[in-house]
Amino acid sequence: MPNSVSPASAQNSSGGAAVDNVKPASAAPIAVSSAASKYTEQPVVSIHRWNEGLMSLRINRDAAYSFVPGQFARIGLIKEDGEIIWRAYSIVSAPHEAFLEFFLVVVPTGEFSSRVSKLNIGDTMLVEKHAQGFLTADRFKDGRDLWLLATGTGLAPYISMVRDHALWQQFENIVIVLSVRESSDLGYTEELAFLANQSPRAGGATLKFVTTLTREPVTGAAKDFDVLSGRINSLIVSGKLEQATGLPLIDEHSRFMLCGNPDMVECMRALLKSRGFRMNRRLEPGHILVENYW
């Protein structure tokens, strides 16, 4: 689930900070009816708090709701004055799961996330009926090694991908690299470490999971996954990331997804381009797909 930062790509409005389409409840009856037909109201079924400012929640999934791992949902809350606040968040859950899961940062002064943090199980949220987004692995038509690079809650779409069977059959190696400031900002590490330790599955990919801390010294190796120090771009420039994973970055095999802080995304995009990797486009297959969080 996302940080209180939601996904923002060229095709959608920004993730965790911007407000998408606020619709007043006082709109004309026809407008309200039209708006209501675009979303369903679903109860919260589970809440998990990773720390004071980081949480995950699950809401019931309407039977007709479909999505591809990597896409995002627009979810809403009705304010006290009747306005609806909408935000876009990457979906953490897999298509076969009966709930929609989200990973978010709680901003105490945030109009949306501060309200989400006060929800209880059974409270309801609004969910637009159609998922959106293009950060999906099926956009890569070839490649052996998939590098999933994230900061913070940019991890969310990658959890959805590795919970789904299809990704494990598409690539030989899957590498998840998660950068956070401090170890207390980590989420989903037990799940990812378990999946990594259980791989390779029969006839499927090997998963490698690496975390890196940017504002906390690394005092020792984690039990179940690698912990490095520094920003992702620095680890690539120094060669430490390739050394930790045992996989070289080469255009024939390597494919990349970038999701998270826009500074990381832009820095990594420039770095990868300088090494000869290209953006993946519909009519021009390449190596890089991008999603911004902010």
Side-chain angles (χ1 to χ4, degrees), residues 32-288:
V32 171
S33 175
S34 175
S37 69
K38 297 179 181 179
Y39 59 77
T40 62
E41 188 171 2
Q42 302 295 334
V44 175
V45 298
S46 175
I47 297 172
H48 179 80
R49 301 186 186 279
W50 303 97
N51 60 35
E52 289 185 0
L54 197 62
M55 68 180 290
S56 293
L57 82 158
R58 294 175 176 178
I59 62 178
N60 185 64
R61 177 181 170 188
D62 185 84
Y65 192 91
S66 64
F67 66 94
V68 177
Q71 290 190 304
F72 62 89
R74 278 170 43 89
I75 55 178
L77 288 173
I78 302 175
K79 293 172 58 177
E80 297 79 1
D81 61 4
E83 282 188 328
I84 300 177
I85 319 166
W86 292 102
R87 291 292 188 277
Y89 284 96
S90 288
I91 301 170
V92 175
S93 44
H96 65 267
E97 294 178 305
F99 51 82
L100 292 176
E101 184 172 350
F102 303 98
F103 184 29
L104 59 150
V105 167
V106 176
V107 179
T109 57
E111 185 179 31
F112 188 82
S113 64
S114 63
R115 287 179 168 83
V116 173
S117 70
K118 297 172 184 176
L119 293 176
N120 297 306
I121 292 175
D123 291 340
T124 60
M125 302 187 74
L126 308 179
V127 185
E128 284 197 351
K129 291 183 178 180
H130 301 288
Q132 303 177 54
F134 300 92
L135 190 75
T136 58
D138 57 7
R139 293 184 64 196
F140 288 126
K141 302 308 179 185
D142 57 10
R144 185 192 69 184
D145 308 328
L146 180 62
W147 294 78
L148 304 174
L149 311 181
T151 57
T153 56
L155 176 67
Y158 304 154
I159 300 292
S160 179
M161 292 177 192
V162 297
R163 286 183 182 178
D164 188 58
H165 179 72
L167 190 74
W168 298 83
Q169 303 304 312
Q170 184 176 350
F171 295 92
E172 292 183 25
N173 297 291
I174 303 167
V175 184
I176 296 180
V177 183
L178 172 61
S179 176
V180 296
R181 294 178 178 181
E182 301 174 346
S183 57
S184 61
D185 297 323
L186 292 169
Y188 295 95
T189 55
E190 289 187 10
E191 178 177 351
L192 291 173
F194 174 80
L195 289 174
N197 291 331
Q198 292 296 310
S199 70
R201 300 177 179 180
T206 296
L207 172 65
K208 301 175 186 293
F209 176 45
V210 179
T211 65
T212 180
L213 309 179
T214 61
R215 296 192 182 181
E216 177 184 317
V218 177
T219 56
K223 183 178 180 181
D224 297 316
F225 54 90
D226 290 322
V227 181
L228 305 178
S229 179
R231 300 183 184 278
I232 296 174
N233 61 304
S234 298
L235 296 174
I236 289 179
V237 170
S238 68
K240 291 181 179 178
L241 190 56
E242 291 170 275
Q243 181 180 359
T245 60
L247 293 172
L249 301 180
I250 52 178
D251 60 2
E252 180 183 0
H253 297 310
S254 304
R255 301 296 180 266
F256 304 90
M257 289 187 175
L258 314 177
C259 187
N261 185 296
D263 290 339
M264 181 279 288
V265 169
E266 290 308 312
C267 182
M268 281 304 308
R269 188 191 334 231
L271 176 59
L272 292 173
K273 283 184 174 182
S274 74
R275 294 192 168 203
F277 298 105
R278 305 181 309 278
M279 296 300 298
N280 188 80
R281 306 185 190 283
R282 182 177 300 176
L283 300 179
E284 299 178 36
H287 311 88
I288 309 166

